[in-house]
Amino acid sequence: MHGRSLPPIAISEFAAEVLEEAIEFQMGRLKRSMNEERDKADRQAWALAACRRNALRSIWSALRLQRDLLGSMLPDDCPSSD
């Protein structure tokens, strides 16, 4: 599936972590859907679920890479609780 590319989106570390968890959950749901469609021998539905899961996996990988490159937050970067 192809479409137009979106411009880069800047999000906080916290939002990136939440997004990563949401993507992982959705990838699990799509994997279960793929298995169900495979068991029903519905090739088109299986292919659609697989394509969507692969697209999400690509986004998840890019997000994970950027979070790894960013590294851990230093104590000076943390907001104070004053």
Side-chain angles (χ1 to χ4, degrees):
M1 295 188 181
H2 302 284
R4 297 175 290 171
S5 294
L6 295 174
I9 300 170
I11 59 174
S12 71
E13 288 179 86
F14 176 74
E17 186 176 345
V18 171
L19 181 58
E20 192 175 322
E21 290 176 13
I23 290 171
E24 288 171 356
F25 176 81
Q26 184 68 7
M27 284 191 314
R29 192 185 74 69
L30 286 169
K31 178 65 175 169
R32 288 187 298 276
S33 177
M34 285 172 56
N35 291 342
E36 290 170 8
E37 302 305 341
R38 178 200 62 211
D39 293 346
K40 291 190 294 186
D42 187 344
R43 291 181 183 182
Q44 287 183 332
W46 179 88
L48 179 60
C51 189
R52 294 181 79 161
R53 187 170 185 266
N54 289 340
L56 271 179
R57 179 92 173 150
S58 174
I59 295 167
W60 178 85
S61 294
L63 181 62
R64 176 53 73 86
L65 174 66
Q66 290 302 314
R67 286 187 63 221
D68 288 347
L69 289 174
L70 192 58
S72 298
M73 186 181 283
L74 299 173
D76 295 340
D77 296 334
C78 295
S80 63
S81 58
D82 293 339

